[in-house]
Amino acid sequence: MRVMALDYGAARTGVAISDATGTLARPLTVVERAATQAGLRRLVALIEAEEPEQIVVGLPLTLRGARGLQAEETDRFVESLRSAVSVPVDSFDERFTTTLASRDPATKTPEDARAAAHLLEAYLASTAAR
């Protein structure tokens, strides 16, 4: 199953996509201000082009696993995205994805897209374990 991951941020949202088997994740791009009308249109166009069967949005929980203000903002974004697409949209714990992305070797791939790829790898591993 092809899955798209979004590492949502108010300024930049990293996007990653899996292969058709749902085992490999690769960073795709970054969408600026994804919660705006223009940003949401850009995401919808990417979703239509990549044809994922599932979308997962990183949920920024605190280190203790609690929901803070950023998680609430992400929830609002998820609801907007669900209204804009017919693909199922879920959220998934994204703790440490940005830290992992910042440790990646120097690359031209934007850090936000690399964080989305780490999120997608964790999501794919969790679904494979089920």
Side-chain angles (χ1 to χ4, degrees):
M1 172 167 67
R2 195 161 163 90
V3 181
M4 179 177 280
L6 305 176
D7 183 40
Y8 173 74
R12 290 174 308 284
T13 297
V15 182
I17 191 78
S18 76
D19 64 336
T21 66
T23 53
L24 299 174
R26 71 175 168 86
L28 189 60
T29 191
V30 172
V31 174
E32 302 291 329
R33 295 177 298 285
T36 65
Q37 288 182 3
L40 201 53
R41 281 193 304 270
R42 173 80 173 117
L43 277 177
V44 169
L46 279 170
I47 292 163
E48 289 172 354
E50 295 294 330
E51 300 179 329
E53 298 168 63
Q54 176 75 41
I55 299 169
V56 61
V57 179
L59 186 61
L61 300 175
T62 67
L63 291 178
R64 293 183 177 197
R67 290 173 170 265
L69 293 175
Q70 283 187 300
E72 291 173 10
E73 180 181 340
T74 300
D75 286 339
R76 287 189 295 276
F77 168 74
V78 167
E79 288 307 313
S80 295
L81 185 59
R82 283 182 178 144
S83 296
V85 299
S86 60
V87 180
V89 180
D90 288 321
S91 56
F92 187 78
D93 183 1
E94 70 160 16
R95 285 178 283 182
F96 308 114
T97 57
T98 302
T99 302
L100 290 170
S102 68
R103 293 180 183 165
D104 285 347
T107 178
K108 291 183 181 181
T109 305
E111 186 174 298
D112 297 293
R114 293 192 319 263
H118 285 292
L119 166 68
L120 185 51
E121 288 171 351
Y123 176 79
L124 295 172
S126 76
T127 58
R130 291 183 198 166

